[in-house]
Amino acid sequence: MGMIQNDWLEPLKPEFSKPYYKELYQKVQEEYNTRQIFPPADDIFNAFDLTPLSEVKVVILGQDPYHDVGQAHGLCFSVKPDVKTPPSLVNIYKELQSDLGCYIPNNGYLEKWAKQGILLLNTVLTVRAHQANSHRGIGWEEFTDAAIRVLDEQDHPIVYLLWGKPAQKKKSMLHNPKHLILTAAHPSPLSAHNGFFGCKHFSQTNAFLEEHGLTPIDWQIENR
């Protein structure tokens, strides 16, 4: 299991000594040793590694990693470049096209977003192969809640994009008046027509960042 190395480490360090985290660590190690688990162990903390705390401008919350072979690499909604774009991300791209005129790319690799300050955080960081939500309730939620509390304390503008009810449950943890919270239906094919399409979260995010003197996000994922 990888380790967080950057400026996330200090505020999250207290979590590593808590009983729940020790149990979580042991459980996850056992799972990797005995089952097929995604993402690869070295990718578990990619969201933190690619988006240092001091650089976070936008937070997108997912649930748990993709559970098919080769998809998950530690960023919510993102898949590796040679993997078919999942349906929810296709709908995100459709909204980006409608909102900002972005073309729909031929891949679902969102590392470009992470490197611009978009924290692509799943609330559960591991999953058994082909078993969605199989690591729910083993302790990851407590750890990612701690990360959300750290974000809420940051003294710079941050936009939260909370799509779907599980993500919106985190809204009660967010109290910082310098931050903007935007909510909509989940981009899943089951719910995107219930308010995700037409939400214009991407243009609203950039307008908020520019109002506060920050560089807007270049949302366009390029073809590969």
Side-chain angles (χ1 to χ4, degrees), residues 101-134:
C102 297
Y103 67 81
I104 295 178
N106 62 6
N107 68 94
Y109 190 53
L110 304 182
E111 187 177 85
K112 174 182 175 180
W113 289 2
K115 289 183 172 179
Q116 291 182 82
I118 302 179
L119 182 70
L120 296 164
L121 182 64
N122 280 314
T123 53
V124 173
L125 299 185
T126 53
V127 69
R128 287 180 183 173
H130 317 303
Q131 295 182 47
N133 287 320
S134 46

Side-chain angles (χ1 to χ4, degrees), residues 95-181:
E95 177 60 21
L96 270 168
Q97 185 177 50
S98 168
D99 188 10
L100 292 174
C102 297
Y103 67 81
I104 295 178
N106 62 6
N107 68 94
Y109 190 53
L110 304 182
E111 187 177 85
K112 174 182 175 180
W113 289 2
K115 289 183 172 179
Q116 291 182 82
I118 302 179
L119 182 70
L120 296 164
L121 182 64
N122 280 314
T123 53
V124 173
L125 299 185
T126 53
V127 69
R128 287 180 183 173
H130 317 303
Q131 295 182 47
N133 287 320
S134 46
H135 281 181
R136 183 172 58 191
I138 67 170
W140 281 127
E141 294 93 340
E142 195 163 344
F143 180 74
T144 53
D145 277 359
I148 292 168
R149 284 192 292 272
V150 169
L151 287 162
D152 189 51
E153 295 168 358
Q154 299 309 298
D155 194 32
H156 62 266
I158 295 176
V159 183
Y160 297 86
L161 304 182
L162 304 183
W163 299 331
K165 287 179 181 171
Q168 288 165 24
K169 286 179 181 175
K170 305 300 182 186
K171 187 174 179 179
S172 63
M173 301 173 60
L174 303 172
H175 310 289
N176 193 322
K178 293 189 175 181
H179 298 173
L180 175 66
I181 301 168

Side-chain angles (χ1 to χ4, degrees), residues 7-21:
D7 61 355
W8 277 103
L9 182 59
E10 195 59 34
L12 289 176
K13 193 182 284 184
E15 300 304 307
F16 300 133
S17 58
K18 292 181 179 177
Y20 88 84
Y21 192 87

Side-chain angles (χ1 to χ4, degrees), residues 31 41-43 69 81 92 102 161 172 175 177 183 210 213 220:
E31 289 280 289
D42 287 345
D43 289 346
V69 176
I92 290 170
C102 297
L161 304 182
S172 63
H175 310 289
T183 62
E210 289 184 283
Q220 180 68 67

Side-chain angles (χ1 to χ4, degrees), residues 26-37:
Q26 289 172 350
K27 173 70 172 174
V28 170
Q29 291 281 56
E30 177 190 333
E31 289 280 289
Y32 273 97
N33 288 337
T34 58
R35 296 175 177 268
Q36 188 175 23
I37 304 297

